[in-house]
Amino acid sequence: MSDARPGRSHGHLPTADEDLRRAGHVEDTPQTRSPSYRLAFRDGDFLAREDLRPVRLQLELLKPELTLQERGITGTVVMFGGARIPSRPEGARTETLGGLSRFYEEARRFARLCTEECLRRGDGTHVVVTGGGPGVMEAGNLGAEEAGGVSIGLGIVLPHEQAPNRHVTPELSFNFHYFGIRKMHFLLRAQAVAVFPGGFGTLDELFETLTLVQTGRMEPLPILLFGREFWERIVNWEALADAGTISQDDLRLFHFVETAEEAWEIVRPGT
């Protein structure tokens, strides 16, 4: 039987929390004010050093991973799409963006359908995950919220400040420094990937997902492209196959859909 006292994780050794409290009450001297005296895991200047990049990569992998494990989240429906897609056509930056505003509502309804399934099952699957920002991402988190469930937001620090949208579940709102680790978290639990019209970031996320499945680095899963007209105008898929740079079979890795209900028929369990 362990003789560890309450609050101690390793027998008689103090926890990190205990030492943090103790370090906060030491005498104020030149020595204790020196950066060298700070506990390493509380020293932001030390952790930000170039030499500590491997540690920072590991921390960004671990923090969301442990949080999602603790919340019992085992499967997600990933929603990629443009931050500039407006919720309504009025006031859109361009006429084309105004026309794409219908996908805001489709994303909202699709997220609602996924979250209703998540609540029915109660097994931590079909949890909506977005990039946590505006546009399609906001619509996804809003739909999950309206259904009464939780949703994840995987944000990233950008040159222009961008706070998470108000519909991400606060306890599941994460912020990243490394794009690569963020993209890993999008796909680690993915049951399906829904891709709405967007820009460079959306294209990057789509093609990384397609590449992982095409090369066998990721098991096949439903990849849904909302808006056939948009996607066939942006990417000449048949030309890639005709050129032989992809195979005809690769064109079956994804599905074109127009509505939330059509997408859900492909994603829902049992189909």
Side-chain angles (χ1 to χ4, degrees), residues 13-24:
L13 299 176
T15 65
D17 282 340
E18 288 174 327
D19 273 357
L20 281 173
R21 287 193 295 270
R22 290 169 180 159

Side-chain angles (χ1 to χ4, degrees), residues 3 23 92 109 115 118 121 124-125 138 142 144 173 206 232 235 239 246:
D3 59 354
R109 291 209 320 275
T115 305
C118 173
R121 297 173 68 88
T125 63
E138 175 187 277
L142 174 59
S173 181
L206 166 61
E232 289 190 337
V235 183
I246 66 172

Side-chain angles (χ1 to χ4, degrees), residues 77-81 104-112 114-115 127-155 162-170 172-174 182 186 196:
V77 177
V78 183
M79 295 180 64
F80 294 136
Y104 185 100
E105 182 58 27
E106 298 300 338
R108 182 177 176 177
R109 291 209 320 275
F110 181 66
R112 195 181 304 151
C114 294
T115 305
V127 178
V128 167
V129 55
T130 79
V136 165
M137 296 172 279
E138 175 187 277
N141 296 120
L142 174 59
E145 182 181 63
E146 290 174 332
V150 301
S151 68
I152 304 164
L154 304 180
Q162 180 177 291
N165 71 66
R166 300 296 182 92
H167 308 290
V168 179
T169 301
L172 298 176
S173 181
F174 302 99
R182 177 177 179 253
F186 271 124
F196 295 79

